Amino acid sequence: MKLIRFGKPGAEKPGILDVNGNRRDLSSSFTDWDRSFFQNGGLEKLRGLEFSKFPEVDDKVRLGSCVARPGKVICIGLNYSDHASESGMAIPQEPIIFQKGANTVVGPNDNILIPRNSEKTDWEVELGVVIGKDARYLNSAEEAKDYIAGYCISHDVSERAFQLEMGGQWTKGKSCDNFNPLGPFLATSEEIEDVHNLKMKLWVNGEQMQNGNTNTMIFDCYYVVHYLSQFMTLEAGDVISTGTPPGVGLGMKPPKYLKAGDKVALEIEDLGRQEQTCSNA
């Protein structure tokens, strides 16, 4: 299944893409794709429905983030071997963990807001993992598979000066408004044949910047979910951004960064496409 949310910001409704790619409005039967939905067996209830009976939604209607505002957005840094090499950093021995503010999550085609006083706003196409039920002290990576609701595109926008040059941790360079477009849809786990072999691409103003594959992940999705569950309870509906392949602006010589008017497009195989325009905050 491919879950979507649609409508004006703050008033999104839950929907789904049917087998023909048509948008369907499921708000008559569900409140939202949120923690309560996932934690209380919502996906199983969805699987029993005939989606063609639900009203269609016009393709011109805005798409919101594919899941409602999560409790946590957890990110894995330097999780691609080729990106670590690009950054001139050693391969991590354990996952590097940081968090983004949950209010960074917006629709897949909403504007990227260039923060005030920013000169180094950067792009990062990432695979997003959505937690399907609360996970705490999982026993193995194999067990973690059962705790994943599905996957989506997660754009981990970053302000590098805020992140790396102003002291402290990475959070303030990661948590600016609109810094995590999510979607266009959440593909449930059975939709993806091999999540660890998906092509990932990103363009800025039509020029391809990133061209990677999830097969160069250092710590795979199942390991990451198991690992995180040893330190915190992962709640249903939480989002994990699993890292980016090479080609970020910071790694270029000279570095390149986003400015107002720039257009960014992202794709991950089997997970759709995002398109954003940059504007000043």
Side-chain angles (χ1 to χ4, degrees):
M1 298 180 291
K2 296 178 180 177
L3 281 61
I4 62 170
R5 296 171 69 252
F6 62 91
K8 296 180 179 179
E12 292 91 348
K13 295 180 179 180
I16 204 158
L17 297 180
D18 66 20
V19 293
N20 297 313
N22 298 313
R23 302 178 183 182
R24 299 284 180 172
D25 180 353
L26 271 63
S27 62
S28 61
S29 297
F30 299 92
T31 302
D32 210 345
W33 310 143
D34 55 12
R35 184 189 179 197
S36 177
F37 167 80
F38 291 111
Q39 182 68 4
N40 293 299
L43 288 177
E44 292 306 315
K45 296 173 186 175
L46 267 183
R47 290 187 175 100
L49 298 179
E50 176 54 60
F51 299 132
S52 62
K53 297 180 180 179
F54 290 85
E56 288 194 35
V57 178
D58 194 293
D59 287 346
K60 297 183 179 64
V61 175
R62 169 188 174 269
L63 286 176
S65 60
C66 55
V67 295
R69 179 168 170 169
K72 295 187 289 296
V73 179
I74 308 161
C75 303
I76 312 300
L78 296 176
N79 196 31
Y80 282 68
S81 56
D82 38 9
H83 175 53
S85 176
E86 166 189 61
S87 302
M89 298 182 183
I91 300 294
Q93 298 303 302
E94 293 192 41
I96 296 173
I97 309 301
F98 62 93
Q99 294 196 32
K100 301 185 78 146
N103 65 339
T104 61
V105 173
V106 294
N109 304 314
D110 290 348
N111 283 1
I112 293 171
L113 298 181
I114 306 296
R116 296 179 186 180
N117 303 312
S118 167
E119 295 182 353
K120 297 182 179 181
T121 297
D122 204 350
W123 56 83
E124 294 187 25
V125 59
E126 305 204 3
L127 174 70
V129 175
V130 177
I131 299 300
K133 55 184 176 180
D134 290 4
R136 180 172 180 261
Y137 296 123
L138 300 183
N139 292 316
S140 66
E142 183 66 24
E143 182 184 13
K145 294 180 182 180
D146 294 332
Y147 288 78
I148 295 174
Y151 306 95
C152 60
I153 301 175
S154 179
H155 190 179
D156 177 20
V157 186
S158 309
E159 212 297 336
R160 301 302 190 186
F162 297 176
Q163 176 190 356
L164 301 171
E165 300 173 17
M166 299 180 69
Q169 298 181 340
W170 290 2
T171 303
K172 62 179 175 289
K174 297 284 189 171
S175 296
C176 304
D177 292 343
N178 287 35
F179 262 28
N180 202 161
L182 199 70
F185 54 81
L186 170 69
T188 51
S189 298
E190 69 273 10
E191 288 278 334
I192 307 300
E193 183 176 350
D194 183 0
V195 73
H196 299 117
N197 187 25
L198 299 177
K199 298 174 184 176
M200 313 168 71
K201 298 180 180 181
L202 181 146
W203 298 262
V204 177
N205 298 325
E207 179 182 359
Q208 188 167 350
M209 300 298 186
Q210 292 188 270
N211 184 15
N213 192 297
T214 58
N215 63 18
T216 65
M217 276 189 187
I218 299 166
F219 306 105
D220 71 29
C221 297
Y222 312 138
Y223 180 86
V224 164
V225 171
H226 166 253
Y227 181 86
L228 290 172
S229 77
Q230 309 307 307
F231 305 100
M232 64 189 82
T233 297
L234 299 175
E235 296 182 340
D238 282 355
V239 174
I240 303 171
S241 279
T242 54
T244 196
V248 299
L250 176 68
M252 295 183 174
K253 299 184 181 357
K256 296 182 180 181
Y257 297 109
L258 297 170
K259 61 185 183 303
D262 285 346
K263 296 185 181 299
V264 184
L266 304 75
E267 291 180 357
I268 297 182
E269 186 177 4
D270 297 331
L271 293 175
R273 178 181 175 94
Q274 298 183 356
E275 295 184 355
Q276 296 123 22
T277 299
C278 298
S279 61
N280 291 322

